[in-house]
C-alpha cells in the first residue's frame, strides 16, 4: 500500500520538476529523443500529480504513475549517458522513501540499483561495480532510517494532537478522524453518537475555580471510561470511541449497535455519573448534564450530517432546560433550519436597526398607571411570523442576545429621556427585560453604567427584569453583578417566579425588589381543578415575608384583579387593563389618563 507524506511529496516533486524540464531540453538538443520524450512525460506526470497532492486527492494510481515515469527515466539515463545518468538515482532513492512506505521503497530501490548498473555497463562504462553498489546500499540504509525516524516522530505528534491533555481521552480532532475511518470501513453500517454536556459548567468554574472544574472533568472522564468498559449495551457494539469535544462536553461513539437495543438505560447511567460529581465539591452543589443521542445509518454508502445533527440535538436539549435528554428526529432538522434562518435574519435586523419598543402599562391597585414594561418587537418582514417568545431563545442560542440586550437598553433609555411626558409623569418605574447571559458578563455593569451616564437617566426609575432560571444556587458571580446593579440604583425584579427551581431560602441571597407572578398562576387561581390554584397566594405570602413588591402578569378578568388585590398584590398588568401600546399610543394614554 502506498503511503503519502503530503508536504514531503510536494517538495520532492517541485525539486525534481525543474531539472527534469532542463534535462529534457538538453537531451532534445543533443539528439537523445527517446530520453527527452521520457523526461517530458515525467515532467507532465509531476505537474499533474502536484495538483492532486495540493488538492489532497492523491491516490495509489497517481503515485504509481510517478514511480513508473521516474524509473523509466533513470533506466534510459543509465543506458544512454552511463555514469552521469546513474547518479540521478541517489536523489530519486531519497525521494522514494518519502513517497511510499519504507517496505515498498526497499522492494523497488534494491533491485532497481542492480538493473541500472547493468544498463550502465551496457552503455560501455567501465565501473567499479562493487564500490558503486555499496554506495547505493549505504544510501538506502541511511535514507530508510531517516524516513523511519521522521515518520515515527510524525506519528507520535499525530497521536498527541488527537489526545486531550487533561483527561487522556481523544479530542475533537481524534473523534473526527475516527468518523473518517468509519466512513471508509464498509463493515460499519451504523454509528450511534451520544454527547454529554454539563449544565452551567461555567458557573462551577467561576464559583469554585478552574482547578476544581478541571478535577471534575478528569473524574467524569474516568467514570465514562469505566462505563465503557463494563456497560453491556456498549459492549454489544462493534467498536467504541470516547472523546472530549470541548471544555465540558464528551462524546461516545458506538458502531453497529443493534437497533432493538434501548439506549435510555445507558443515558441514565451517564447522567448518574455526572450527578455523583457533586460529592467531590466542598460545598455540595447539584450538577446536571444535557444529553443528545444521534443514530446514523449508512445511506448510499455514506454517513451524512453526523456532527450537524449532534449540534442541533444538543442545542435543542439545552433549550428545553438543564438535565434533559434529546434523541434526534428528522423534525429537529427542520427546526434547526428554521432557527438558522431566524438567527440570520436577526443579524440583518440588528444591522439595519429593524426593531422597536412597545409599552405594556403596569397598574397599581387603584387602577392608575404606575409603570410600564418595555417589550421588544421586530420590524423585519422576514421575521413577521415570529414573536419574541420564538426569536429571543434563538438569539440566546446563537450568541446574539447580548447585542440585542444593549440595543433594548439603549433604545429604552433614549425613549424615556427624550419624551417629556415620560419624564414628568407620575410613573414610578419602567421595567426592562435582560438576558440571563448578562449576569455572567463581566462587561455588563460597566456598559450599562455608561448608558446611564450618556442619557443622564435616573436608575431608580428603571427596573431590570431577570428570569428565575437565571439564578442558580451558590452562583457568586451572579450575586456580585446583581449587587453592583443595585448600587448603581436599579430596581431588580424576578420574572415568572414559581416556574423555576429557586428555593425560598435562596431569595434571601439575591438583592431583589420585586417578584412577578407568572400568568399561569393567575389563570390557575380561577380554575378549581387546576393544580396551580392557590400558588399566587403562596407567592404573595413569600413576598410579604421578604418585603418584596409583587406584580401579577396576565390579568385578563376583573375577578382575577379583585382576588389578587384582596390578597395583597400591589401591581397588575394584563389585557384586562391594556394591551401593549406603541410609543405614541402610550404617551396619548398617559395624557388622557392624567386628564
Amino acid at each position: 500500500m502506498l503511503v503519502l507524506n503530503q508536504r514531503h511529496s510536494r517538495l520532492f516533486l517541485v525539486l525534481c520538476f525543474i531539472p527534469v524540464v532542463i534535462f529534457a531540453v538538453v537531451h532534445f538538443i543533443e539528439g537523445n529523443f527517446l530520453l527527452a520524450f521520457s523526461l517530458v512525460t515525467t515532467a507532465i506526470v509531476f505537474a499533474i500529480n502536484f495538483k492532486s497532492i495540493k488538492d489532497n486527492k492523491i491516490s495509489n494510481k497517481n503515485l504509481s504513475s510517478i514511480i513508473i515515469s521516474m524509473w523509466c527515466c533513470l533506466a534510459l539515463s543509465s543506458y544512454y549517458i552511463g555514469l552521469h545518468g546513474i547518479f540521478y538515482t541517489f536523489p530519486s532513492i531519497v525521494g522514494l522513501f518519502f513517497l511510499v512506505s519504507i517496505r515498498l521503497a526497499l522492494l523497488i530501490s534494491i533491485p532497481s540499483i542492480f538493473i541500472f548498473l547493468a544498463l550502465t555497463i551496457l552503455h560501455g562504462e567501465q565501473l567499479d561495480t562493487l564500490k558503486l553498489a555499496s554506495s547505493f546500499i549505504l544510501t538506502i540504509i541511511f535514507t530508510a532510517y531517516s524516513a523511519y525516524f521522521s515518520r515515527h516522530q510524525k506519528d507520535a505528534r499525530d497521536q498527541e494532537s488527537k489526545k486531550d491533555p487533561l483527561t487522556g481521552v481523544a479530542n475533537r480532532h481524534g473523534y473526527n478522524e475516527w468518523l473518517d475511518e468509519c466512513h471508509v470501513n464498509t463493515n460499519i453500517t451504523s454509528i450511534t453518537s451520544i454527547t454529554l454536556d454539563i449544565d452551567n459548567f461555567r458557573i462551577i468554574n467561576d464559583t469554585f475555580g478552574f482547578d476544581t472544574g478541571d478535577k471534575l472533568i478528569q473524574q467524569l472522564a474516568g467514570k465514562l471510561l469505566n462505563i465503557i468498559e463494563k456497560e453491556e449495551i456498549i459492549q454489544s457494539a462493534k467498536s467504541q470511541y470516547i472523546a472530549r469535544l470541548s471544555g465540558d462536553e464528551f462524546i461516545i461513539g458506538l458502531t453497529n449497535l443493534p437497533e432493538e437495543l434501548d439506549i435510555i438505560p445507558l443515558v441514565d447511567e451517564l447522567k448518574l455519573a455526572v450527578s455523583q460529581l457533586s460529592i467531590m465539591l466542598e460545598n455540595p452543589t447539584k450538577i446536571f448534564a444535557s444529553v443528545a443521542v444521534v443514530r446514523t445509518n449508512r445511506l448510499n454508502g455514506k454517513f451524512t450530517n453526523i456532527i450537524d445533527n449532534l449540534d442541533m440535538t444538543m442545542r435543542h436539549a439545552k433549550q428545553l432546560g438543564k438535565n434533559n435528554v434529546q434523541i434526534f428526529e428528522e423534525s429537529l432538522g427542520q427546526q434547526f433550519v428554521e432557527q438558522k434562518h431566524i438567527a440570520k435574519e436577526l443579524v440583518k435586523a440588528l444591522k439595519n436597526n429593524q426593531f422597536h419598543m412597545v409599552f405594556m402599562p403596569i397598574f397599581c391597585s387603584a387602577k392608575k398607571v404606575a409603570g410600564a414594561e418595555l417589550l421588544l418587537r421586530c420590524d423585519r418582514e422576514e421575521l413577521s411570523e415570529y414573536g419574541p417568545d420564538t426569536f429571543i431563545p434563538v438569539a440566546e442560542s446563537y450568541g446574539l442576545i447580548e447585542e440585542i440586550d444593549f440595543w433594548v437598553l439603549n433604545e429604552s433609555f433614549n425613549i424615556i429621556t427624550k419624551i417629556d411626558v415620560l419624564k414628568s409623569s407620575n410613573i414610578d418605574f419602567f421595567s426592562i427585560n435582560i438576558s440571563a447571559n448578562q449576569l455572567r458578563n463581566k462587561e455588563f455593569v460597566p456598559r450599562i453604567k455608561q448608558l446611564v451616564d450618556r442619557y443622564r437617566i435616573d436608575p431608580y426609575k428603571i427596573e431590570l427584569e431577570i428570569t428565575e432560571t437565571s439564578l442558580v444556587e451558590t452562583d457568586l458571580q451572579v450575586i456580585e453583578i446583581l449587587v453592583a446593579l443595585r448600587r448603581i440604583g436599579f430596581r431588580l425584579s424576578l420574572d415568572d417566579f414559581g416556574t423555576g427551581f429557586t428555593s425560598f431560602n435562596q431569595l434571601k441571597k439575591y438583592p431583589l425588589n420585586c417578584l412577578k407572578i407568572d400568568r399561569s398562576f393567575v389563570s390557575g387561581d380561577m380554575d378549581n381543578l387546576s393544580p396551580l390554584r392557590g400558588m399566587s397566594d403562596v407567592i404573595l405570602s413569600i413576598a410579604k415575608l421578604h418585603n418584596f413588591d409583587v406584580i401579577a402578569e396576565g390579568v385578563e378578568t376583573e375577578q382575577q384583579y379583585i382576588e389578587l388585590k384582596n390578597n395583597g398584590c400591589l401591581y397588575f398588568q394584563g389585557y384586562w387593563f391594556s394591551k401593549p401600546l406603541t410609543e405614541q399610543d402610550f404617551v396619548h394614554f398617559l395624557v388622557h389618563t392624567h386628564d
Side-chain angles (χ1 to χ4, degrees), residues 103-118:
R103 178 181 295 181
L104 183 57
L106 289 171
L107 289 174
I108 294 173
S109 60
I110 293 175
S112 296
I113 285 170
F114 292 102
I115 293 173
F116 296 157
L117 286 172

Side-chain angles (χ1 to χ4, degrees), residues 373-565:
E373 181 178 1
L374 281 84
L375 302 172
L376 179 67
R377 298 292 184 263
C378 185
D379 301 325
R380 188 164 180 80
E381 184 178 349
E382 289 80 358
L383 295 175
S384 58
E385 59 184 290
Y386 304 106
D389 289 346
T390 300
F391 69 71
I392 290 298
V394 173
E396 290 177 336
S397 182
Y398 282 82
L400 302 173
I401 193 62
E402 290 186 9
E403 189 174 353
I404 290 177
D405 270 350
F406 279 103
W407 189 96
V408 168
L409 288 166
N410 186 78
E411 183 67 11
S412 298
F413 288 5
N414 180 43
I415 293 172
I416 294 168
T417 54
K418 79 177 182 180
I419 299 176
D420 291 336
V421 174
L422 300 183
K423 289 190 295 184
S424 60
S425 66
N426 294 322
I427 291 181
D428 295 332
F429 60 91
F430 294 94
S431 184
I432 303 172
N433 292 277
I434 60 171
S435 166
N437 296 32
Q438 303 295 4
L439 300 184
R440 295 173 186 89
N441 177 10
K442 295 179 180 179
E443 299 299 319
F444 178 63
V445 173
R447 287 188 65 183
I448 197 172
K449 182 66 167 62
Q450 288 176 354
L451 290 177
V452 169
D453 295 338
R454 180 192 304 171
Y455 290 102
R456 298 180 181 179
I457 195 169
D458 182 3
Y460 291 94
K461 296 196 72 170
I462 303 298
E463 183 172 88
L464 300 177
E465 283 192 24
I466 55 176
T467 58
E468 186 181 359
T469 52
S470 307
L471 305 183
V472 181
E473 190 173 6
T474 66
D475 189 351
L476 299 180
Q477 183 181 2
V478 169
I479 295 176
E480 289 175 0
I481 290 179
L482 292 176
V483 169
L485 292 171
R486 282 295 303 274
R487 285 174 179 166
I488 295 173
F490 292 110
R491 292 166 49 91
L492 297 176
S493 174
L494 189 58
D495 196 14
D496 301 333
F497 181 70
T499 60
F501 301 96
T502 307
S503 67
F504 299 149
N505 288 331
Q506 275 182 264
L507 291 175
K508 299 177 183 178
K509 300 178 182 179
Y510 299 104
L512 302 172
N513 301 94
C514 179
L515 301 180
K516 296 192 77 171
I517 302 177
D518 185 68
R519 64 182 63 249
S520 61
F521 300 139
V522 173
S523 61
D525 285 339
M526 300 296 107
D527 185 355
N528 291 328
L529 300 178
S530 172
L532 301 179
R533 181 173 175 81
M535 276 298 298
S536 59
D537 292 345
V538 174
I539 295 172
L540 286 166
S541 299
I542 295 169
K544 185 176 181 180
L545 179 65
H546 293 284
N547 198 29
F548 294 145
D549 293 337
V550 177
I551 301 175
E553 293 184 299
V555 179
E556 298 181 355
T557 67
E558 184 177 13
Q559 184 183 357
Q560 290 173 346
Y561 159 69
I562 292 173
E563 186 164 335
L564 287 164
K565 176 186 174 182

Side-chain angles (χ1 to χ4, degrees), residues 273-438:
V274 175
S275 66
Q276 290 173 342
L277 295 174
S278 60
I279 300 171
M280 303 163 197
L281 293 175
E282 294 179 4
N283 301 316
T285 299
K286 293 180 181 179
I287 301 177
F288 302 101
S290 297
V291 179
V293 181
V294 174
R295 180 185 176 90
T296 308
N297 294 316
R298 192 181 288 273
L299 183 63
N300 297 326
K302 297 179 180 180
F303 296 106
T304 57
N305 301 327
I306 292 178
I307 300 299
D308 285 345
N309 290 345
L310 276 171
D311 288 343
M312 78 173 75
T313 306
M314 178 56 74
R315 191 186 300 273
H316 187 66
K318 289 288 188 181
Q319 289 174 351
L320 293 175
K322 61 185 177 182
N323 202 29
N324 265 293
V325 177
Q326 181 64 51
I327 297 176
F328 174 76
E329 299 173 353
E330 288 300 329
S331 59
L332 278 180
Q334 299 172 357
Q335 184 177 340
F336 182 66
V337 171
E338 183 181 44
Q339 289 182 350
K340 287 182 70 175
H341 165 71
I342 292 172
K344 181 179 178 182
E345 296 303 326
L346 282 175
V347 171
K348 295 178 181 178
L350 281 166
K351 183 178 179 181
N352 297 323
N353 203 35
Q354 293 175 304
F355 293 102
H356 73 275
M357 305 302 296
V358 296
F359 291 76
M360 184 67 173
I362 298 174
F363 293 79
C364 66
S365 56
K367 297 184 183 178
K368 293 182 178 180
V369 178
E373 181 178 1
L374 281 84
L375 302 172
L376 179 67
R377 298 292 184 263
C378 185
D379 301 325
R380 188 164 180 80
E381 184 178 349
E382 289 80 358
L383 295 175
S384 58
E385 59 184 290
Y386 304 106
D389 289 346
T390 300
F391 69 71
I392 290 298
V394 173
E396 290 177 336
S397 182
Y398 282 82
L400 302 173
I401 193 62
E402 290 186 9
E403 189 174 353
I404 290 177
D405 270 350
F406 279 103
W407 189 96
V408 168
L409 288 166
N410 186 78
E411 183 67 11
S412 298
F413 288 5
N414 180 43
I415 293 172
I416 294 168
T417 54
K418 79 177 182 180
I419 299 176
D420 291 336
V421 174
L422 300 183
K423 289 190 295 184
S424 60
S425 66
N426 294 322
I427 291 181
D428 295 332
F429 60 91
F430 294 94
S431 184
I432 303 172
N433 292 277
I434 60 171
S435 166
N437 296 32
Q438 303 295 4

Side-chain angles (χ1 to χ4, degrees), residues 176-220:
N176 288 337
E177 190 166 296
W178 178 77
L179 283 180
D180 291 339
E181 292 171 0
C182 291
H183 282 287
V184 175
N185 187 348
T186 55
N187 292 323
I188 294 176
T189 57
S190 71
I191 300 175
T192 301
S193 301
I194 306 171
T195 54
L196 182 148
D197 192 299
I198 298 176
D199 296 321
N200 300 320
F201 183 70
R202 179 179 174 182
I203 297 173
I204 295 174
N205 277 334
D206 292 341
T207 305
F208 299 99
F210 288 99
D211 289 342
T212 298
D214 287 347
K215 288 177 183 177
L216 285 177
I217 292 297
Q218 290 172 331
Q219 293 285 349
L220 179 56

